[in-house]
């Protein structure tokens, strides 16, 4: 059993490097009509409750269910006021060829968000993963690669200027020892690519809030120290960074630690915002009856919402999806993951009720 737990934790650390395969298809159907979703008139949806508490609540959204599942659209629009593109904005999707951008998927998501009064969180602009072959194998010079990155950032941010207010400019670039994750950007341009990325995005939309997004950096730890030092350094250099995204991909075996609140507090002391950006809690690796694991999952969701609500600079609480029917964890942990707040039939789980309770106090 211990081996399985260690394996799960190792796998969890490798999470962002795992290629996960989901059924997806380029959208053929027209964007869903604005009337598709039913607005919340009862005032008891998570979205309504969150609005009263001054926090935004969001979910990562996949194109395929948005296009083909009316219940997905209805629940998404009723319960959330922030939409995060799960994959539609990744470099390989949005910039498939050197001189070709493909905005169709993002435009569909932005249109849906606009129709339902939702904010869109741009995710991600710069990452070491989901890069197209023309870029990885292009043998570009340092100057050519800088120009490719500048043009990518300013084309994408510029196109959605005034429509996308918050961006994950850089995603998962810091390691525990404070060095940087290997990538074509780091190898060919050097660590200064990160300052450049934030400066270029700010030039393209001076009003946008620019975040650095990271996993396993929620508690006080070597890694969160590295993220803290990275962000402090950028502020000292006058780089326009406005917030830190804490992903919160967790297993139900994780023990909620009060140091999460301490970490969020110290980020706030830098003058930065914090957002929970990708929360999900897989129950696949837990022990004991499923009901007990689901109850622990609910406690963690509720505790995390209370931590965010207690920090005025914690602006958004977003999950990596919202229904167990469509979660990346399925392709990674199998159907046992059940990491989200609605079950596969869109019924609210204990974790939904835990969020509702935390928001209602
Ligand atoms: O769309 C293609 C499809 O046409 C093709 O048939 C299929 C098989 O090759 O691949 C499909 O693309 C997959 C895509 O998900 C959409 O399903 C990619 O291979 C696969 O790598 C991609 O995985 C995504 C992963 O990021 C890598 O981009 C996951 O869905 C997504 O949930 C995951 O999300 C990341 C965040 O962006 C950053 N934080 C960690 C988080 C979890 O890893």
């Amino acid at each position: 059993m211990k081996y399985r737990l260690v394996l799960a934790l190792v796998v969890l650390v490798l999470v962002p490097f795992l290629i996960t395969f989901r059924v997806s298809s380029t959208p053929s159907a027209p964007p869903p009509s604005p009337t598709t979703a039913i607005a919340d008139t009862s005032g008891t949806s998570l979205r309504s409750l969150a609005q009263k508490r001054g926090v935004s609540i969001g979910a990562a959204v996949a194109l395929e269910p948005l296009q083909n599942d009316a219940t997905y659209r209805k629940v998404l629009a009723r319960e959330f006021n922030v939409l995060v593109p799960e994959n539609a904005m990744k470099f390989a999707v949005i910039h498939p060829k050197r001189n070709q951008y493909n905005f169709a998927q993002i435009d569909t998501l932005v249109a849906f968000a606009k129709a339902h009064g939702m904010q869109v969180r741009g995710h991600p602009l710069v990452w070491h993963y989901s890069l197209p072959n023309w870029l990885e194998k292009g043998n570009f010079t340092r100057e050519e690669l800088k120009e490719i990155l500048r043009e990518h950032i300013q084309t994408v941010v510029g196109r959605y200027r005034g429509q996308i207010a918050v961006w994950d400019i850089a995603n998962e670039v810091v390691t525990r020892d404070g060095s940087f994750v290997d990538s074509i950007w780091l190898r060919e341009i050097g660590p200064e690519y990160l300052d450049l990325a934030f400066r270029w995005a700010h030039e393209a939309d001076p009003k946008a809030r620019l975040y650095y997004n990271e996993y396993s950096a929620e508690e006080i730890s070597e890694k969160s120290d590295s993220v803290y030092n990275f962000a402090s350094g950028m502020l000292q250099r006058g780089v326009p960074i406005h917030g830190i995204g804490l992903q919160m991909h967790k297993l139900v075996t994780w023990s909620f630690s009060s140091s999460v609140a301490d970490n969020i507090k110290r980020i706030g002391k830098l003058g930065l915002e914090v957002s929970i950006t990708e929360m999900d809690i897989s129950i696949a690796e837990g022990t004991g009856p499923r009901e007990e694991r689901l109850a622990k999952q609910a406690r963690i969701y509720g505790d995390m919402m209370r931590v965010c609500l207690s920090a005025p600079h914690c602006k958004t609480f977003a999950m990596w999806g919202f229904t167990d029917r469509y979660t990346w964890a399925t392709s990674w942990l199998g159907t046992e993951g059940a990491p989200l707040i609605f079950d596969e039939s869109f019924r609210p789980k204990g974790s939904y009720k835990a969020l509702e309770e935390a928001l209602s106090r």
Side-chain angles (χ1 to χ4, degrees), residues 64-297:
E64 191 270 337
L66 188 78
Q67 294 289 356
N68 304 314
D69 187 330
T71 310
Y72 182 91
R73 294 196 292 269
K74 183 175 78 175
V75 175
L76 172 64
R78 187 188 69 219
E79 299 291 341
F80 303 97
N81 55 13
V82 173
L83 179 159
V84 187
E86 182 174 9
N87 291 304
M89 194 175 268
K90 289 179 180 166
F91 209 112
V93 175
I94 205 167
H95 197 169
K97 292 197 180 113
R98 172 71 189 88
N99 296 312
Q100 183 197 333
Y101 288 86
N102 175 0
F103 294 114
Q105 295 193 24
I106 281 293
D107 286 351
T108 298
L109 291 171
V110 169
F112 183 89
K114 195 169 179 184
H116 300 290
M118 300 170 80
Q119 187 192 71
V120 176
R121 185 186 184 87
H123 169 85
L125 271 178
V126 183
W127 194 18
H128 62 278
Y129 204 69
S130 300
L131 298 175
N133 282 336
W134 69 261
L135 178 72
E136 297 261 42
K137 301 188 169 70
N139 282 324
F140 297 105
T141 65
R142 180 174 188 273
E143 285 316 307
E144 285 170 335
L145 212 60
K146 274 174 70 175
E147 176 50 20
I148 287 168
L149 184 57
R150 183 207 60 76
E151 182 212 277
H152 179 84
I153 289 173
Q154 298 200 323
T155 301
V156 178
V157 175
R159 179 185 175 88
Y160 298 105
R161 181 174 176 150
Q163 299 179 78
I164 295 183
V166 187
W167 290 87
D168 287 342
I169 300 299
N171 187 54
E172 303 168 14
V173 300
V174 171
T175 63
R176 263 189 297 193
D177 65 10
S179 60
F180 293 113
V181 170
D182 179 46
S183 71
I184 187 169
W185 312 117
L186 181 69
R187 284 194 305 276
E188 306 302 331
I189 299 175
E192 55 271 35
Y193 84 93
L194 290 160
D195 286 12
L196 289 169
F198 279 81
R199 292 188 194 283
W200 286 330
H202 186 63
E203 279 171 19
D205 185 352
K207 289 196 177 130
R209 311 295 291 163
L210 310 182
Y211 272 65
Y212 172 67
N213 191 45
E214 188 57 81
Y215 72 94
S216 296
E218 294 86 12
E219 297 110 310
I220 299 284
S221 66
E222 255 188 301
K223 183 158 187 189
S224 65
D225 288 348
S226 298
V227 170
Y228 179 86
N229 295 333
F230 168 63
S232 306
M234 292 180 94
L235 290 167
Q236 283 154 26
R237 294 189 297 276
V239 174
I241 177 171
H242 308 111
I244 301 286
L246 303 175
Q247 293 184 9
M248 285 300 288
H249 288 289
K250 294 296 178 189
L251 300 178
V252 77
T253 46
W254 178 65
S255 297
F256 189 85
S257 149
S258 61
S259 82
V260 173
D262 297 338
N263 187 37
I264 289 175
K265 202 175 291 175
R266 70 171 172 175
I267 293 170
K269 285 187 178 149
L270 289 176
L272 293 176
E273 300 171 1
V274 168
S275 285
I276 307 306
T277 52
E278 307 184 12
M279 189 161 183
D280 53 18
I281 304 169
S282 171
I283 66 169
E285 290 308 312
T287 54
R290 182 179 168 85
E291 285 320 302
E292 275 178 21
R293 286 178 279 139
L294 287 170
K296 180 165 185 209
Q297 179 188 66

Side-chain angles (χ1 to χ4, degrees), residues 21-23 60 62 64-66 68-73 75 86 290 320-331 334-347 349:
F21 297 92
R22 287 166 52 93
V23 174
E64 191 270 337
L66 188 78
N68 304 314
D69 187 330
T71 310
Y72 182 91
R73 294 196 292 269
V75 175
E86 182 174 9
R290 182 179 168 85
W320 207 240
F322 59 94
T323 167
D324 293 341
R325 176 180 294 192
Y326 304 105
T327 166
W328 73 290
T330 303
S331 54
T335 52
E336 265 315 289
L340 294 164
I341 64 173
F342 287 92
D343 70 15
E344 302 206 1
S345 305
F346 292 96
R347 290 178 301 233
K349 295 160 60 178

